[in-house]
Each structure stands twice: as structure tokens, then as C-alpha cells.
Amino acid sequence: MEKTQHNIKERTDYRFEQPPMYIVIMHNDDFTTMEFVVKILKTVFFKPEYEAVELMLKVHKENAAVIGRYTLDMAASKCKKATSMAEKEGYPFKVTYEIEPNELPF
């Protein structure tokens, strides 16, 4: 019996969903210096000087500000790095992350 080979191509349709996004929030305190906050914004969050200063002033005036949008692992990593830098310098600096409001399942 002769074997025949068929050239059948299966079509696979891949659909990728965007991962949920998280916002990183920087909080004001009375002890962390403005210069240190700018340093964090530049080194951890890669903000240019002018944007870092604007964000630092917003945090200072409004007691908190959204610093950026990231995936969960990036948000957690950046918060951990910023907090670690602050602890080494002796500052009670606080930065948190939470799921973006439009990403909530309800």
C-alpha cells in the first residue's frame, strides 16, 4: 500500500490580551527631601529632570501623585527599589501601586 502525504495547514488564531495595568502612587511626607524624591524619579522611574521636578512638586502640593502605569511585576519592582533606596538613606518615603480603576473587573 502506498503512503500519500497531504499538505494540510491548520490555521491557528492567536489572541493576546493586554495584562492589567497598575498605577504607581508616590506619597508625601514631612521628612523625605525634595532632592531625594527627584533622584528616585530619575533613577528608578527614568523620568527626565523637568518631569521629575514637576511630579515632585505635585506630590508635595497634593500629598500624592500618580507616577506612571506599569504591569504588575514592573510596578512591584519599581516600588521595592524606591523603598529600598529610601530606607538606606533613612527616609520614611512611601510609594505604592494599585490596579488602575478602569482595569477593575466590576
Side-chain angles (χ1 to χ4, degrees):
M1 185 166 195
E2 192 175 309
K3 290 185 179 181
T4 59
Q5 192 173 17
H6 298 283
N7 289 333
I8 299 174
K9 294 182 180 178
E10 289 185 30
R11 182 176 175 178
T12 307
D13 199 15
Y14 294 103
R15 296 191 191 275
F16 296 100
E17 289 186 28
Q18 291 286 79
M21 298 302 285
Y22 289 75
I23 53 173
V24 173
I25 304 164
M26 192 173 279
H27 304 271
N28 190 35
D29 64 66
D30 293 332
F31 304 101
T32 306
T33 65
M34 293 179 177
E35 293 82 12
F36 183 77
V37 172
V38 170
K39 179 181 175 182
I40 291 284
L41 288 165
K42 288 171 57 178
T43 59
V44 177
F45 296 94
F46 303 108
K47 302 292 184 185
E49 179 81 25
Y50 72 92
E51 188 177 354
V53 171
E54 285 178 2
L55 285 168
M56 175 274 298
L57 290 172
K58 185 172 183 177
V59 170
H60 180 69
K61 291 176 184 174
E62 299 176 15
N63 286 324
V66 173
I67 302 307
R69 306 174 61 239
Y70 304 95
T71 58
L72 176 60
D73 57 335
M74 288 298 296
S77 174
K78 287 182 179 291
C79 286
K80 184 177 180 181
K81 185 172 182 178
T83 303
S84 175
M85 285 177 66
E87 286 174 355
K88 286 179 185 175
E89 296 289 327
Y91 294 120
F93 180 73
K94 184 178 176 185
V95 60
T96 59
Y97 61 93
E98 60 187 50
I99 194 160
E100 261 191 322
N102 62 349
E103 297 282 345
L104 293 173
F106 45 86

